[in-house]
Amino acid sequence: MAYDFDLYVIGAGSGGVRAARFAAGFGAKVAVAESRYLGGTCVNVGCVPKKLLVYGAHFAEDFEQAFGFGWSLGEANFDWATLIANKDREINRLNGIYRNLLVNSGVTLHEAHAKIVGPHEVEVNGERFTAKNILIATGGWPQIPEIPGREHAIGSNEAFFLKELPKRVLVVGGGPAGAAAAIYAARKGIRTGVVAERFGGQVLDTLAIENFISVKETEGPKFAIALEQHVKEYDVDIMNTQRASKLVPLGKVVEVQTASGAVLKAKSVILATGARWREINVPGEKEYRNHGVAYCPHCDGPLFKGKRVSVIGGGNSGVEAAIDLAGLVKHVTLIEFGAELRADAVLQRKLRSLANVTVITSAQTTEIHGDGKIVNGLSYTDRNTNVSHKVELEGVFVQIGL
């Protein structure tokens, strides 16, 4: 069969652009579709604009410290609109570079939304194209919690496009994202508060952390303490063990109501509650959640001491979970959809050294079974033979990412 393209990439972030350029460099006929902006999160609403805003915040402290080194400066004035306009100008320049990288590599660029309509077919602006291979490289997107009134708050993306610098900001969420937002705001001289259900967020559910650059090894709770200490270096009010339950607009401010009955007000509210565990969406998952189906091995692992469990997912999270659980439970069955595990080699070596762990690859989980009260088994299909199998167990830990 003749195709319009050898490869069709949906998403022109860093990953999508790199894949398209490399494929085109090897002689493939490639097309890329992007409906928002080129360069993805990092270039447009991530690393690059964040650094520009952080650099801008540094000057406030530099001006203060300059007096100690003999400098006499006039009154410093900051104009938010100028910073944002210059930030936008730089982002537009980088978008142009990404566009040229694609076009100069011979890649066809469709700046529109693409939809997969068949095994080898995509639709863009009502026009259909066929491709031998379709690569989905759409990256991630901030998850906004389902809080009533959430439309009156902003996420991390919108924070880069505020028309004016707010005098008061309330950050909802105390994980790494919330801590970063609070620090950046406080450095700008904004009165900043953080309301968090538990400061540290999902980091608290992690034991060994060995891939945080510059820190050889640490643990989640220790990392969370360091986050809080860093935030407290600035004039930030931390309201821990408080869960935001509702947002109400009151004129030019937003009122944040908490589950405990407390009420907070701010000019701007930033929702930075982090990611949620991804689900496998098979029969039995929702029915037995908290009755054998779990997502946090460190929170719920001790409940399965001496029992048989399964971990679904062969990435770093899944393999780390299996390693940790192996020290508690009777047996761990790790199930991976792909033909091989995706975790770091050092983790795979550790996993395969454990006598009470079984690894099953090329397996698609199809159902979680139970007796109506608790989990008692799991079914999966061997993707090579299409044969179904059932594993008897008492717990399932879903670890397919966030």
Side-chain angles (χ1 to χ4, degrees), residues 344-399:
D344 294 343
V346 64
L347 293 175
Q348 292 192 43
R349 287 195 295 271
K350 174 64 176 177
L351 179 73
R352 297 187 188 281
S353 72
L354 302 174
N356 63 334
V357 175
T358 299
V359 177
I360 303 173
T361 56
S362 297
Q364 180 173 0
T365 304
T366 55
E367 186 174 357
I368 296 172
H369 305 283
D371 62 4
K373 294 182 179 180
I374 58 174
V375 166
N376 60 20
L378 175 149
S379 289
Y380 71 89
T381 298
D382 186 317
R383 297 176 59 236
N384 295 320
T385 64
N386 206 34
V387 175
S388 295
H389 302 270
K390 184 176 180 180
V391 181
E392 294 184 355
L393 42 74
E394 290 77 45
V396 176
F397 287 85
V398 181
Q399 293 286 290

Side-chain angles (χ1 to χ4, degrees), residues 6 38 70 179 263 287 378:
D6 299 308
L38 304 179
V263 175
E287 293 84 344
L378 175 149

Side-chain angles (χ1 to χ4, degrees), residues 71-137:
W71 287 91
S72 297
L73 303 173
E75 183 179 356
N77 293 305
F78 172 71
D79 185 68
W80 172 260
T82 298
L83 175 60
I84 295 303
N86 289 334
K87 180 268 296 181
D88 291 342
R89 188 176 298 109
E90 175 63 9
I91 300 305
N92 289 335
R93 185 185 71 84
L94 294 175
N95 267 254
I97 290 176
Y98 270 81
R99 182 177 289 103
N100 290 336
L101 286 173
L102 288 170
V103 174
N104 293 339
S105 298
V107 176
T108 300
L109 176 59
H110 295 151
E111 296 192 57
H113 181 77
K115 177 172 64 175
I116 298 175
V117 293
H120 295 277
E121 192 172 19
V122 297
E123 182 178 298
V124 182
N125 284 339
E127 187 176 0
R128 296 196 173 193
F129 301 93
T130 58
K132 184 177 181 180
N133 298 288
I134 299 173
L135 173 63
I136 300 175

Side-chain angles (χ1 to χ4, degrees), residues 6 9 41 106 167:
D6 299 308
V9 182
T41 295
K167 294 182 178 179

Side-chain angles (χ1 to χ4, degrees), residues 80-347:
W80 172 260
T82 298
L83 175 60
I84 295 303
N86 289 334
K87 180 268 296 181
D88 291 342
R89 188 176 298 109
E90 175 63 9
I91 300 305
N92 289 335
R93 185 185 71 84
L94 294 175
N95 267 254
I97 290 176
Y98 270 81
R99 182 177 289 103
N100 290 336
L101 286 173
L102 288 170
V103 174
N104 293 339
S105 298
V107 176
T108 300
L109 176 59
H110 295 151
E111 296 192 57
H113 181 77
K115 177 172 64 175
I116 298 175
V117 293
H120 295 277
E121 192 172 19
V122 297
E123 182 178 298
V124 182
N125 284 339
E127 187 176 0
R128 296 196 173 193
F129 301 93
T130 58
K132 184 177 181 180
N133 298 288
I134 299 173
L135 173 63
I136 300 175
T138 50
W141 196 256
Q143 293 188 358
I144 302 300
E146 295 181 1
I147 300 175
R150 60 181 182 170
E151 66 273 13
H152 304 295
I154 62 174
S156 58
N157 288 357
E158 294 79 13
F160 292 113
F161 301 98
L162 290 173
K163 294 182 178 179
E164 59 182 30
L165 188 67
K167 294 182 178 179
R168 292 182 295 164
V169 163
L170 180 64
V171 179
V172 178
I183 290 172
Y184 298 152
R187 289 178 67 99
K188 282 283 193 302
I190 302 171
R191 175 75 184 277
T192 306
V194 175
V195 57
E197 194 165 354
R198 51 180 192 151
F199 201 93
Q202 290 185 2
V203 168
L204 292 168
D205 302 332
T206 304
L207 289 182
I209 299 176
E210 301 174 344
N211 58 354
F212 187 76
I213 305 303
S214 80
V215 179
K216 183 178 179 181
E217 183 179 355
T218 186
E219 296 177 352
K222 290 182 179 179
F223 188 79
I225 291 173
L227 275 179
E228 186 169 2
Q229 290 174 339
H230 193 177
V231 172
K232 287 181 176 179
E233 288 292 316
Y234 300 90
D235 188 18
V236 176
D237 295 321
I238 298 178
M239 291 146 279
N240 203 2
T241 68
Q242 297 292 323
R243 179 172 60 84
S245 59
K246 187 176 182 180
L247 276 62
V248 180
L250 295 176
K252 294 184 178 181
V253 300
V254 177
E255 179 181 270
V256 178
Q257 301 175 2
T258 71
S260 66
V263 175
L264 305 164
K265 296 178 182 179
K267 174 69 175 178
S268 293
V269 176
I270 299 176
L271 297 178
T273 51
R276 293 173 291 183
W277 300 107
R278 288 180 62 192
E279 300 174 353
I280 52 176
N281 295 315
V282 300
E285 181 181 17
K286 285 184 170 60
E287 293 84 344
Y288 291 104
R289 179 175 294 173
N290 298 325
H291 296 279
V293 175
Y295 300 86
C296 177
H298 309 300
C299 311
D300 300 323
L303 302 175
F304 296 88
K305 186 176 182 179
K307 298 181 179 180
R308 300 163 298 177
V309 304
S310 173
V311 173
I312 301 175
N316 282 351
S317 296
V319 171
E320 287 178 348
I323 292 171
D324 293 338
L325 288 168
L328 287 170
V329 304
K330 181 178 181 181
H331 190 270
V332 179
T333 300
L334 187 145
I335 296 177
E336 162 59 25
F337 182 84
E340 56 186 28
L341 300 181
R342 295 167 286 110
D344 294 343
V346 64
L347 293 175

